């Protein structure tokens, strides 16, 4: 979750650790990792519950200009290295800076993930 406003986003298991993925998605703000099937019951490795964190759900009430993942906008996204995306499959459509592209092959790290999911 983004510590400054409690904004959370799910992380896929893949080639990178949850900490690496969180930092890749949101490099411009401090983040913390919470685990759980849904955010209402999620907890940190310290045992703290998300709902008890200082800014839990604060993003629902107001956007803060100084709370951003991409360094420009509170709702903007940061570009993520596709090699870190364990969910990417051949045929997936990827939004690039220029146009949508259909993924024709898997990043090397994802081939093992694809086989293990069958």
């Amino acid at each position: 979750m983004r510590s400054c406003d409690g904004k959370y986003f799910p992380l896929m298991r893949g080639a990178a650790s949850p900490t690496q993925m969180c930092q890749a998605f949101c490099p411009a703000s401090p983040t913390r990792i919470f685990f759980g099937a849904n955010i209402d019951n999620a907890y940190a490795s310290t045992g703290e519950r998300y709902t008890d964190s200082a800014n839990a759900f604060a993003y629902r009430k107001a956007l803060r200009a100084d709370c951003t993942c991409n360094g420009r906008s509170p709702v903007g996204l940061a570009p993520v290295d596709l090699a870190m995306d364990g969910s990417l499959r051949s045929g997936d459509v990827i939004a690039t800076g220029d146009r949508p592209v259909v993924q024709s092959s898997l990043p090397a790290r994802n081939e093992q993930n694809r086989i293990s999911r069958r």
Side-chain angles (χ1 to χ4, degrees):
M1 79 144 187
R2 191 166 58 187
S3 301
C4 51
D5 69 354
K7 178 70 176 159
Y8 59 92
F9 40 89
L11 300 175
M12 299 291 296
R13 293 194 188 272
S17 73
T19 300
Q20 290 170 319
M21 288 296 291
C22 202
Q23 290 171 346
F25 280 123
C26 199
S29 289
T31 56
R32 293 187 58 206
I33 305 296
F34 286 82
F35 303 92
N38 66 55
I39 197 64
D40 294 325
N41 298 316
Y43 59 91
S45 60
T46 61
E48 177 189 9
R49 291 173 38 124
Y50 169 83
T51 54
D52 294 334
S53 63
N55 288 317
F57 303 112
Y59 71 94
R60 291 179 176 175
K61 298 174 186 153
L63 294 176
R64 291 178 39 188
D66 65 338
C67 188
T68 173
C69 284
N70 65 10
R72 295 182 302 277
S73 166
V75 295
L77 302 175
V80 176
D81 180 359
L82 293 178
M84 293 178 68
D85 185 350
S87 68
L88 187 62
R89 301 288 178 264
S90 288
D92 287 352
V93 177
I94 302 166
T96 69
D98 300 324
R99 59 188 167 77
V101 175
V102 176
Q103 181 70 19
S104 60
S105 64
L106 298 172
R109 294 184 196 169
N110 289 353
E111 184 62 29
Q112 184 176 10
N113 290 345
R114 186 173 78 78
I115 292 168
S116 67
R117 287 184 174 182
R118 289 184 177 176

